[in-house]
Amino acid sequence: MAAALRILLLTHSFNGLAQRLFAELAADGHEASVEFDIADSVTEEAVALFAPDVIVAPFLKRAVPESIWRRHLTLIVHPGIVGDRGPSALDWAIQEGEASWGVTVLQAEAEMDAGPVWASREFPLRAASKADVYRNETTTGALAAVREALARVPEWRAGRWQPRPLAQIADARGRLRPSMRQAERALDWARMGSAEILARIRAADGFPGVADALFGQPCHLFDAHPGQRPAGCEDAAPGTLLARRDGALLRATADGAVWIGHVRRADSPHPFKLPATFAFAAEVAEATEAAALSKLPATLMAPAGADPAALGYRELAYRETDDGALGVLSFEFYNGAMSTAQCRHLLAAIGFARGRPTRVLVLDGGAGFWSNGIHLNTIEAAPSPADESWANIEAIDDVCLALLGLSDRITVAALRGNAGAGGCFLALACDRVWAREGVVMNPHYKNMGNLFGSEYWSYLLPRRVGEDAARVIMRNRLPLLARQAAAQGLIDDCFGADRADFAAQVEARARALADDPGLAARIADKARRRAADEAEKPLAAYRAAELDMMRRNFYGFDPSYHVARYHFVLKSPQSWTPRRLARHRELGWRARAASAA
Ligand code: COA
């Protein structure tokens, strides 16, 4: 490991990349603290308090003040290749179909993103949304590049190493590009084919979306997927809405169709991202009534011999290995948020899987997120957010209960992506929990306005880590790396260098479980343990106690949860850095730091 450094993470918000760096750098032995980029004077104060060896800025929306970078080494993580400059790095790369892209760590100077280069990484650019690439390849590359840069700090201080000024990097492919405007994102449905429309919406996902219109109403589009025109719609004019499935709408392009999963209607009382059919509920109902919009049923399991890809966009997918020993249930819920309806669909899918004669059932969630618990946006948009919170928590609890009740086979939660709040505890309802290297878990609720939480966490968490560790995890409210979670016994294992490697290893390990001659004994053991636990304290009692506390969160006199949810959904700017992150603001940390040194 490189020399331990005192690192201030200066960031617009504690986003996934900032969480990963914070947890990884601390695990590397550095002392990391976080300050949100709120105002120059606040940053100056943080720097004065913490006296960092280096400031690392993983996610900023404005330039670092000169008063900081002139006096303190400040490294910026830019989500672009060497030489790329500007605030829409990934947007341009995705929209223009770059074959490869990258991430650069550079030193802050007067011109934004133009300082000397400390380290960089490149990767092949997948056809995926900006948010998905950012959470995966960009985050992995950023961590490697930041580690490389930090290892150079002592040499740089000693004058033995210098970062490369951009002007001297002859092979720098990147260039200065402006902020991408909506005019450059605009969709021409009459002329553009599906590939171009997909690229444009993906380049703008999760923010800012592409300004367009549905049902004649202005809105921003997100969450686009390839589609096919259904039978009878071959001649529909481009731009026509053809069908709906789950929360998504199928729209004709010049050469086919695309699914639009989410929209934001700025002109509505709920100006935040919602499932498309939810945001346009009245229009969808009217069009369906007039037989102008058909509901296309989703197929959960592809018929034998059929190509699953031909089934098109669907949130839930179930498949089995050829010998039928292993079932795999995926749930691709946008942003990992699970609404009441989505929980009920998932419950039905688990019911279907239960009826199949498999020995092991793998729940591999979504590629981006495994789950982030109840759907705070649909709750916020409901006529009564309290009632909808209640319905949603009951629905997700039912999913947990169904998993806990799968007594005739082994269940595995395979976390391809991050999991947060109720989504973490949902995973713990499985017999085995495996996570990909680099996955970040947030196994706590209190950041959402002191939410007590349900999902049988009061049974599942102590069962895995013991009462004391459970209390610490819940109280710390910090992101936990998958390998730390495995070391603590919160999950069973962490492996797989990337998504493909993880998927291959999950299948091999699940197969080994299914083929293990000791499987029957394992299943019997599981049933025995569950029965013993039930005799000691029934699951219904855990649920009732949790829901009793949740009732206070939803309907009680303290509105903290409703206030926190509102700010989360509306993405209100941060006005201060929480103390659990801004360690330099803890009273007495200096004394502790000095005695530890
Ligand atoms: N409901 C609705 N949307 C959610 C969500 C939820 N439960 N959890 C995350 N999202 C959305 C975010 O709003 C964001 O939307 P965007 O596409 O408009 O940017 C997106 O998912 C990614 O979330 P973000 O917060 O940027 O990801 P992160 O990696 O920085 O942080 C979490 C992950 C889980 C820590 C954070 O998203 C979070 O606290 N989520 C809420 C969890 C929760 O309290 N659930 C309810 C109790 S069970």
Side-chain angles (χ1 to χ4, degrees):
M1 215 261 323
L5 298 170
R6 190 173 293 170
I7 302 168
L8 182 68
L9 291 174
L10 178 64
T11 188
H12 174 76
S13 68
F14 200 45
N15 72 349
L17 172 57
Q19 291 174 33
R20 178 90 188 273
L21 286 178
F22 178 74
E24 295 274 9
L25 297 182
D28 286 352
H30 298 296
E31 185 170 8
S33 189
V34 178
E35 186 70 36
F36 289 162
D37 181 31
I38 291 163
D40 292 357
S41 58
V42 179
T43 305
E44 284 159 9
E45 184 185 70
V47 171
L49 277 170
F50 196 44
D53 296 306
V54 53
I55 299 166
V56 175
F59 170 46
L60 287 182
K61 292 201 168 180
R62 56 182 208 127
V64 176
E66 186 170 350
S67 59
I68 298 291
W69 61 258
R70 274 224 188 271
R71 275 185 256 137
H72 305 274
L73 173 61
T74 305
L75 300 178
I76 309 284
V77 178
H78 176 70
I81 51 173
V82 172
D84 181 84
R85 279 154 287 155
S88 303
L90 262 169
D91 310 49
W92 288 112
I94 293 172
Q95 184 150 318
E96 295 186 348
E98 296 279 355
S100 66
W101 199 239
V103 55
T104 306
V105 174
L106 45 90
Q107 193 169 339
E109 281 193 352
E111 190 190 338
M112 215 170 162
D113 303 335
V117 172
W118 280 65
S120 65
R121 290 292 183 279
E122 288 211 11
F123 49 80
L125 190 55
R126 281 179 299 129
S129 78
K130 175 174 67 166
D132 196 41
V133 173
Y134 185 82
R135 285 190 202 110
N136 283 277
E137 287 87 346
T138 303
T139 298
T140 306
L143 176 62
V146 165
R147 279 190 169 132
E148 184 183 318
L150 293 177
R152 286 175 169 158
V153 169
E155 282 193 52
W156 174 79
R157 285 214 187 287
R160 290 195 299 269
W161 182 86
Q162 284 300 315
R164 292 178 305 161
L166 199 49
Q168 289 172 22
I169 305 178
D171 58 349
R173 281 196 292 130
R175 60 194 165 91
L176 173 63
R177 289 202 266 197
S179 174
M180 190 185 270
R181 293 165 308 168
Q182 283 297 341
E184 281 125 1
R185 302 185 190 272
L187 306 179
D188 181 347
W189 292 89
R191 194 183 55 77
M192 290 178 184
S194 301
E196 188 168 3
I197 291 197
L198 278 173
R200 285 179 175 235
I201 300 177
R202 283 173 171 162
D205 207 341
F207 179 83
V210 175
D212 200 73
L214 288 173
F215 300 100
Q217 305 295 320
C219 62
H220 284 70
L221 309 183
F222 303 87
D223 186 24
H225 303 270
Q228 284 170 348
R229 291 183 177 215
C233 294
E234 292 82 359
D235 299 328
T240 311
L241 288 175
L242 304 173
R244 65 191 170 94
R245 171 181 288 164
D246 298 329
L249 292 166
L250 182 65
R251 192 169 188 188
T253 61
D255 63 357
V258 296
W259 288 99
I260 308 293
H262 280 71
V263 302
R264 179 166 56 79
R265 294 184 67 176
D267 63 337
S268 86
H270 311 302
F272 43 83
K273 248 181 252 181
L274 287 167
T277 59
F278 186 111
F280 286 103
E283 293 83 351
V284 166
E286 197 179 313
T288 308
E289 177 94 345
L293 195 66
S294 58
K295 183 173 178 184
L296 280 189
T299 308
L300 182 61
M301 183 179 177
D307 173 12
L311 298 177
Y313 165 77
R314 55 201 174 130
E315 287 185 326
L316 290 158
Y318 177 78
R319 66 182 173 83
E320 285 173 2
T321 47
D322 289 341
D323 63 356
L326 201 65
V328 181
L329 178 58
S330 309
F331 34 105
E332 283 284 355
F333 298 133
Y334 184 67
N335 282 339
M338 294 168 55
S339 68
T340 307
Q342 286 166 321
C343 289
R344 289 180 184 153
H345 292 163
L346 180 55
L347 182 65
I350 292 170
F352 173 84
R354 180 183 200 129
R356 305 287 304 172
T358 57
R359 300 195 289 277
V360 173
L361 174 63
V362 176
L363 289 105
D364 71 355
F369 287 104
W370 196 82
S371 169
N372 280 327
I374 57 175
H375 200 313
L376 299 169
N377 292 33
T378 51
I379 289 171
E380 188 62 36
S384 162
D387 289 352
E388 184 51 31
S389 300
W390 188 261
N392 206 159
I393 204 73
E394 288 269 27
I396 201 168
D397 279 0
D398 288 345
V399 174
C400 290
L401 188 61
L403 292 175
L404 286 165
L406 277 173
S407 53
D408 62 343
R409 69 200 78 195
I410 297 292
T411 54
V412 178
L415 276 63
R416 296 184 276 167
N418 297 349
C424 286
F425 300 104
L426 180 64
L428 302 192
C430 292
D431 303 314
R432 299 276 186 287
V433 186
W434 301 334
R436 180 175 57 78
E437 292 269 4
V439 154
V440 175
M441 302 178 71
N442 275 282
H444 46 81
Y445 298 93
K446 293 213 179 302
N447 290 345
M448 197 53 63
N450 237 6
L451 200 62
F452 184 79
S454 191
E455 290 95 3
Y456 298 90
W457 74 264
S458 54
Y459 168 61
L460 296 167
L461 184 58
R463 183 173 83 141
R464 280 190 162 259
V465 299
E467 295 285 351
D468 291 345
R471 257 192 302 278
V472 172
I473 288 174
M474 282 298 211
R475 195 183 52 220
N476 278 355
R477 313 183 192 188
L478 288 171
L480 199 59
L481 298 170
R483 66 169 187 279
Q484 296 171 327
Q488 292 186 22
L490 180 69
I491 66 171
D492 298 288
D493 214 341
C494 163
F495 51 83
D498 54 33
R499 284 179 177 182
D501 186 21
F502 181 66
Q505 287 204 50
V506 164
E507 186 126 351
R509 287 168 186 240
R511 167 148 295 286
L513 263 181
D515 294 345
D516 180 358
L519 182 77
R522 244 184 247 262
I523 293 172
D525 208 47
K526 155 181 167 167
R528 250 194 313 276
R529 188 174 166 204
R530 179 79 281 286
D533 286 355
E534 188 68 15
E536 194 181 315
K537 180 172 173 180
L539 284 175
Y542 287 100
R543 181 166 173 162
E546 289 170 2
L547 289 181
D548 200 35
M549 299 300 285
M550 292 293 259
R551 191 176 289 111
R552 294 178 204 199
N553 289 134
F554 300 158
Y555 297 104
F557 65 87
D558 177 358
S560 299
Y561 155 71
H562 296 292
V563 172
R565 188 195 60 242
Y566 172 86
H567 289 301
F568 178 81
V569 168
L570 271 296
K571 304 196 188 307
S572 306
Q574 315 271 359
S575 48
W576 57 288
T577 311
R579 285 292 149 88
R580 67 181 193 284
L581 303 178
R583 298 193 163 157
H584 51 283
R585 293 187 184 276
E586 266 173 37
L587 287 176
W589 87 266
R590 268 173 195 278
R592 277 202 299 282
S595 65

